[in-house]
Every structure is written in C-alpha cells, then in structure tokens.
Amino acid sequence: MLPPTSFPKNEIKILLLENVHPSADELFGAEGFQIDRVNGALKEDELVERVKDVHVIGIRSKTRITARVLDEARRLLSVGAFCIGTNQVDLVHANSRGVPVFNAPFSNTRSVAEMVIAETIILSRQLFDRSREVHDGTWKKLATNCHEIRGKTLGIIGYGHIGRQVGVLAEMVGMHVLFYDIAARLPMGNNRSMPGLHDLLAVSDFVTLHVPETPQTRLMIGAAELARMKPSACLLNASRGTVVDLEALAEAIKEKRLAGAAVDVYPEEPESNSDGFSSVLRGLPNVVLTPHIGGSTEEAQEAIGREVAGALVKFVNSGATTGAVNFPQLELPQARNTHRVLNIHRNVPGVIRDITGIISDRGANIHAQMLATDPAIGYLVMDLDQSLSHEVKKAVAALETSIKTRILY
Ligand code: NAI
C-alpha cells in the first residue's frame, strides 16, 4: 500500500500572535488546521519555545522573526506578516531556510482612497478650521473661498493600487482626474495620463501623492514644485513622509501660495501613541494633520486577515508562492491523477541535472513542472505519476543541495 501523501491537515499547527484578525481563523479553520493564539508579541526566548513544532507563524509588526527563531522552528513552512511591512522578519535567513514570507500589501488600498476623497472635501470647505472655531465658541459663517469639489481637477501622482482607486472614486463625485506615473498605466474610467509632473501640478485644484519611497520620490515635492501649483490648490500626502519638503510646504501655506494641505505621513513619526509629535505644519490654517491612519480601518484589518491567511493556505496546500516577499514566485495548476513534489534547493550548478537523473532513473513521468530561482535558492514544483512520486520525493530530499522537500495530495 502507498504511504499517505500530504501531511494530515489536522496536524498542521498555526501559531498566531499579536491579535491577528479573526478573519484568518475562518480560513485556517475551514482547512482543519490547528490554531494556537497568543495575544501579544513574544520575546525571542519565549518564541523559540513556542515554535518548535509549528508549521506556520502569523505575526503583525511587533514580533521579530530572527535567524534564531527560524533555525529553532524546524517544521516551519511559512511566515505570515499580517501587516504591510516585513522588516520585522529576517527575510534573507527565511529564504535560505526555504521559508516564504507573505504580507498584505493591498488590503488597505480602499481605506486610504476613501480618506483622500474625504480630505478633498474637508480642505475645499475649510471644514476643520470651522469646526475648531465652533468648538472654541466662535461663529464664523462664510462662503468665501469655500467650494464644491464637483467639476474640480484632481491630479494624482503615482497611479498604482491606491492612486487608481482614488481616481475611480473621484470621478464618482464629479471630479476631473489627471495622473502622472513613471510607468505606463492604463487609465481607469475617464482618468487622463499627463506627460510630466509639472504639467499636472500647474492645472490641478488638488494634488494627491501615492508613490512609494524611493531615491527618486525623496522630496519630489519641494519649493519649486509647490510654486508650480495654483494658489487656490491643495496638496495631499498619504504616501510616505519623505516625499514632501514640509518646510517648503509650511512656507507656501503661510504665504498663501497654497490654499491648504492634508498630511498623514511624516519624515519622522513617533514610535508609539504615548510619544509627542512636533511638525512645522502644526497650527497652520486649513492644514489637516493625521497620525498615519490612511490605511487604519477595521475593514482593512479584516481584509489583511483574509489576504494573508489565504496566501498561507494556498502555499501549504499547493506550494503557490505568488506574493511572497522573499521567495521565487511560482504557481502551478494541479494536474489530475498526480502527486506534487515541492523542492527548495540551494541555487548551485548541477541541482536540476541531479533531480532529472533521479526521475529518469526511475522512469517516472512528469506531467507538469515549474522552476523559479533567485540568487540563493531554487524552487521546483513537479507533478508526477502517483506510483513513483514517493520514491522520487525521498531521493530528491536526500540530495545534499536540498533545503526542504514536500509531497502533496
Ligand atoms: P503601488 O506600488 O501600487 O503604486 C505606486 C505607484 O507609484 C506605481 O504605479 C509606480 O509606478 C508609481 N511611481 C513610482 N515612482 C514614481 C515616481 N518617481 N513618479 C511617479 N510615479 C511613481 O503602491 P500603493 O499600494 O498604491 O501605495 C502607494 C503609497 O501609499 C506607498 O508609498 C505606501 O507606502 C503608501 N501607503 C500609505 C498608507 C497610509 O496609511 N497612509 C497605507 C498604505 C499605503
């Protein structure tokens, strides 16, 4: 009789730390995986004790997955970072141990886009200034310099996931949408691409930034760019704090060369809610300052739970690594009546020759095969005849170059 193939699902152990959203449990539960939860983050020593027989670790931003943790977690298949950033994980070491790390880069796209639309209206009507005055007991009813956003032009810099979503929503409230991106992007709806940044700045009533942090985007909006904008225009930045020169922005607002700004991200941000905050923008008129909350909604948290858990389930069940941040990307549809052998190996000459030798020596037939590599490792997925798959898996796993080998179905 053939031995059982995939490792039994009800013996797959998932360790979730830092209150990962319960939406993740639904997906793991449906698979029959065992779920163990720890409320907060764990220190390295405690974590090392907890991970010894764990197959998947789910964390948020505070748990550090160090080389030692990865070395001690001998059965670890994958790490899920239920957040956007992954610098709390030793990604290079995880890669060398054959452990893909997944995160949720797009789950909060909509949340950021909605906040940006709200802020265009808030700035256009000077709502926060009026609100502050009424709180302070001042009644200053006026219409001068207050506008509808309908018919106004929104210029989007960086037309990626968030920029596009902003463009779609802005058209729904009647705005004209222009965008500028360094990559060729398909315009959504009636959004229009602009050939250059300065052209966009000159004609927009609102300019919103949705670029990543790169050497090219660092201080991409400084005094010269602000000078290109209309004095009646407003600037919004919910991308990264290094993109805008805040001194230049503060000067432009004070000198009435710009009508307002909404800023969610700063070059330096406090570590925690108990730390204070200072900025040259504090106290300026029609300037909305928020504490990096563009993506912070319950819906985004729930979506993060589903997105990361979904990627982890797919990796455990089929070996798909699409979206992994530190790993060769690969996804192969399941061939019928086969077993799947997954092999992660050191990327050195001769590995594929050795594996091909193992297969041809046994006369096994490969139904489908896919290889993806990075400089350090190779990831090979093979769908083979069921009769010989176990033998092949054993021989491939025994190769000195193999890091991890699994068999599925
Ligand atoms: P994305 O990668 O989907 O899109 C970024 C776009 O910017 C791409 O189309 C890219 O080609 C373009 N780009 C890159 N360099 C450029 C340049 N020099 N000039 C013009 N365009 C350029 O990223 P996504 O998901 O849309 O995120 C955008 C930004 O929003 C990121 O910086 C991210 O960190 C930030 N973000 C902020 C949040 C908050 O809470 N405020 C939450 C989520 C993301």
Side-chain angles (χ1 to χ4, degrees):
M1 212 183 64
L2 289 171
T5 306
S6 289
F7 188 75
K9 286 196 177 187
N10 60 5
E11 289 182 32
I12 295 206
K13 294 193 173 135
I14 315 273
L15 175 66
L16 297 179
L17 298 116
E18 303 184 62
N19 294 318
V20 164
H21 196 278
S23 58
D25 298 48
E26 282 173 33
L27 275 91
F28 293 136
E31 295 294 322
F33 298 165
Q34 293 179 31
I35 307 168
D36 196 7
R37 273 185 168 272
V38 173
N39 280 343
L42 289 178
K43 295 261 180 302
E44 192 180 50
D45 286 341
E46 298 168 296
L47 193 56
V48 162
E49 285 310 307
R50 294 294 288 259
V51 297
K52 290 206 184 311
D53 61 347
V54 159
H55 298 97
V56 172
I57 308 173
I59 57 164
R60 288 171 67 190
S61 54
K62 296 203 166 59
T63 305
R64 293 195 54 231
I65 303 291
T66 58
R68 185 176 152 223
V69 172
L70 291 161
D71 289 342
E72 296 288 334
R74 292 183 196 286
R75 309 184 74 177
L76 191 64
L77 294 176
S78 183
V79 173
F82 287 77
C83 48
I84 316 295
T86 48
N87 49 11
Q88 70 281 38
V89 182
D90 187 333
L91 295 177
V92 174
H93 199 70
N95 167 288
S96 72
R97 294 208 62 104
V99 174
V101 177
F102 296 92
N103 69 339
F106 314 125
S107 294
N108 55 14
T109 299
R110 174 68 184 221
S111 301
V112 180
E114 285 191 11
M115 189 175 86
V116 167
I117 297 298
E119 286 174 343
T120 57
I121 300 173
I122 288 164
L123 293 172
S124 208
R125 301 289 296 274
Q126 304 173 6
L127 285 182
F128 281 11
D129 287 0
R130 293 297 87 73
S131 172
R132 196 183 311 125
E133 288 154 11
V134 176
H135 273 288
D136 292 343
T138 304
W139 190 264
K140 194 167 144 192
K141 185 175 158 83
L142 52 81
T144 316
N145 293 330
C146 293
H147 300 278
E148 294 183 352
I149 60 167
R150 177 172 52 171
K152 303 297 181 298
T153 298
L154 175 68
I156 300 171
I157 303 173
Y159 199 62
H161 289 87
I162 297 174
R164 285 199 293 272
Q165 188 80 219
V166 170
V168 169
L169 295 181
E171 270 187 2
M172 287 172 160
V173 288
M175 301 185 88
H176 302 298
V177 178
L178 308 174
F179 67 87
Y180 167 72
D181 200 296
I182 45 165
R185 298 278 178 227
L186 176 74
M188 309 295 284
N190 298 315
N191 292 189
R192 276 197 298 129
S193 166
M194 292 295 276
L197 176 63
H198 282 200
D199 304 312
L200 176 138
L201 293 171
V203 295
S204 297
D205 299 303
F206 299 87
V207 172
T208 183
L209 291 153
H210 300 291
V211 290
E213 184 174 62
T214 66
Q216 291 74 38
T217 62
R218 195 181 146 70
L219 300 179
M220 80 186 283
I221 302 295
E225 288 71 27
L226 293 168
R228 304 282 304 188
M229 292 175 66
K230 301 183 195 175
S232 58
C234 297
L235 180 77
L236 296 88
N237 184 19
S239 62
R240 298 299 292 261
T242 51
V243 175
V244 179
D245 178 346
L246 294 188
E247 300 277 351
L249 177 60
E251 285 308 307
I253 297 275
K254 282 183 207 161
E255 292 169 12
K256 300 199 185 328
R257 288 186 279 110
L258 207 62
V263 179
D264 188 44
V265 288
Y266 308 85
E268 276 141 36
E269 296 181 4
E271 291 263 317
S272 77
N273 284 352
S274 48
D275 296 344
F277 175 70
S278 67
S279 167
V280 286
L281 297 173
R282 278 180 52 193
L284 296 182
N286 209 24
V287 173
V288 175
L289 302 181
T290 46
H292 202 148
I293 49 161
S296 305
T297 63
E298 301 209 2
E299 286 80 2
Q301 288 304 316
E302 188 186 337
I304 287 170
R306 270 189 272 111
E307 184 178 343
V308 180
L312 292 167
V313 165
K314 225 168 162 190
F315 175 67
V316 170
N317 287 348
S318 75
T321 50
T322 311
V325 295
N326 66 333
F327 222 75
Q329 311 259 324
L330 181 158
E331 189 159 351
L332 188 64
Q334 185 180 344
R336 296 213 306 172
N337 303 322
T338 60
H339 284 161
R340 174 164 289 186
V341 174
L342 312 165
N343 170 256
I344 301 156
H345 52 259
R346 286 191 285 117
N347 188 2
V348 291
V351 180
I352 299 305
R353 183 198 57 216
D354 293 345
I355 294 175
T356 311
I358 289 169
I359 292 160
S360 58
D361 286 353
R362 284 157 184 80
N365 185 29
I366 299 176
H367 293 249
Q369 187 179 38
M370 210 178 247
L371 171 72
T373 58
D374 66 21
I377 61 167
Y379 181 33
L380 179 68
V381 175
M382 299 178 285
D383 289 343
L384 301 166
D385 287 336
Q386 294 179 343
S387 53
L388 292 162
S389 58
H390 287 272
E391 230 183 290
V392 169
K393 184 242 165 181
K394 213 169 141 194
V396 170
L399 289 173
E400 183 263 327
T401 44
S402 287
I403 299 168
K404 257 193 175 77
T405 309
R406 287 198 287 151
I407 186 165
L408 296 177
Y409 313 139

